[in-house]
Amino acid sequence: EVQLVESGGGLVQPGRSLRLSCAASGFIFDDYAMYWVRQAPGKGLEWLSGISWDSGSIAYADSVKGRFTISRDNAGNSLYLQMNSLRPEDMALYYCARDRSAYNWGDAFDLWGQGTMVTVSS
Amino acid sequence: DIQMTQSPSSLSASVGDRVTITCRASQSISTYLNWYQHKPGKAPNLLIYAASSLQSGVPSRFSGSGSGTDFTLTISSLQPEDFATYYCQQSYSSPFTFGQGTRLEIK
C-alpha cells in the first residue's frame, strides 16, 4: 500500500527539541521530493519545508528557518524534521507529503500522511 | 514570499448548488496553482493541480481555472461529501504557500 506514516510527536516544553519522522512505503521514495506541512489548532495549512529527491534543493518557511532542519534517508525510506527551540506557536498537527511528480521540485502534493501532533507547553 | 488570498473565508451552500472559490496570488505564478480539500481528522486531498488539471480519482464536478494571479475552483453541483475546507497553494516558488482556506458549510 502506498502510504506515509508520521511519528515522533508529543508534549515538549518551550525551548526544547523534537524530531519527527515520516516512514514511506509502497513507492520508490528516492524518486520524490518530500515536504512538511502543519496545521495549528483552529488554523489553516502552513507549508514548512521541502527537500528534493536527491537533497539538492531544500527550503523553509520564514517561521521555522534557522530552527527546523529537514532531512531524508533514502535507504531507509524516511523523511525527518528536526525541530529545535520550540515555541508555543509551533503546536500543531504535522503532516508529511509527497510531490506529485518524480524527479520534480515544487509540484502539488498528492500523498499525505495522517499527521503527528506536537504540543508545546510547560 | 508569494502571498495567497482566498475568498470568501467561509461559504454556506445547499446540496446541488454551484459554488465558486477564488484564490489570488500576490504576484504572477503562471498556472502553478493547486487546490486541496481538507476534512476534520483526515489528510488533505489533492483535487486540482496546475490550475486546471483534475487529479486522478477526483469527481468531474470539481474544476479549476485561471492563470497569472487569479484562479477559481468550481464545484458544479454540491454533494453532501463536499462540505469541507478548501485550500489553494502555489507551487511556483518556495516557500510553497497556502491560502488561508475557505470553509464550505451546509446551509
Side-chain angles (χ1 to χ4, degrees):
Chain A
E1 181 184 2
V2 177
Q3 64 177 357
L4 299 170
V5 179
E6 302 93 338
S7 61
L11 174 62
V12 62
Q13 293 179 326
R16 304 298 290 260
S17 299
L18 206 58
R19 189 195 198 202
L20 304 184
S21 300
C22 170
S25 59
F27 65 99
I28 303 173
F29 181 72
D30 307 25
D31 290 354
Y32 293 88
M34 298 294 296
Y35 306 91
W36 287 99
V37 175
R38 70 182 178 187
Q39 184 178 36
K43 303 293 185 181
L45 299 176
E46 179 186 13
W47 185 91
L48 293 180
S49 183
I51 185 168
S52 62
W53 62 278
D54 62 352
S55 302
S57 295
I58 289 176
Y60 299 95
D62 288 345
S63 59
V64 303
K65 197 175 295 181
R67 298 189 300 125
F68 290 12
T69 302
I70 192 171
S71 62
R72 65 189 296 159
D73 173 9
N74 284 347
N77 293 336
S78 293
L79 174 74
Y80 303 101
L81 186 68
Q82 177 66 43
M83 305 187 296
N84 298 331
S85 304
L86 282 162
R87 305 166 178 168
E89 56 264 35
D90 293 320
M91 184 168 74
L93 183 63
Y94 284 72
Y95 296 101
C96 62
R98 184 187 77 173
D99 201 288
R100 190 184 66 85
S101 303
Y103 304 112
N104 195 42
W105 170 248
D107 200 338
F109 304 164
D110 72 332
L111 179 67
W112 297 67
Q114 290 300 309
T116 186
M117 186 67 199
V118 173
T119 302
V120 183
S121 175
S122 54
Chain B
D1 297 357
I2 298 173
Q3 309 303 317
M4 307 301 294
T5 304
Q6 290 181 231
S7 60
S9 295
S10 64
L11 175 61
S12 293
S14 301
V15 172
D17 283 354
R18 180 183 180 88
V19 167
T20 297
I21 298 169
T22 297
C23 179
R24 175 165 288 176
S26 60
Q27 66 182 72
S28 178
I29 57 171
S30 184
T31 57
Y32 291 89
L33 191 283
N34 313 304
W35 290 98
Y36 300 85
Q37 177 191 68
H38 194 200
K39 297 180 180 179
K42 301 282 191 178
N45 183 44
L46 175 64
L47 300 174
I48 301 287
Y49 63 93
S52 60
S53 296
L54 191 68
Q55 173 69 357
S56 176
V58 174
S60 59
R61 63 181 179 272
F62 291 92
S63 64
S65 64
S67 66
T69 61
D70 294 314
F71 302 87
T72 59
L73 172 71
T74 299
I75 310 172
S76 60
S77 178
L78 272 175
Q79 298 302 301
E81 60 268 29
D82 299 338
F83 292 94
T85 301
Y86 293 83
Y87 295 90
C88 63
Q89 181 217 13
Q90 63 86 13
S91 50
Y92 180 80
S93 67
S94 62
F96 301 121
T97 41
F98 288 90
Q100 82 278 15
T102 295
R103 184 175 179 181
L104 180 53
E105 300 173 319
I106 301 173
K107 183 182 287 183

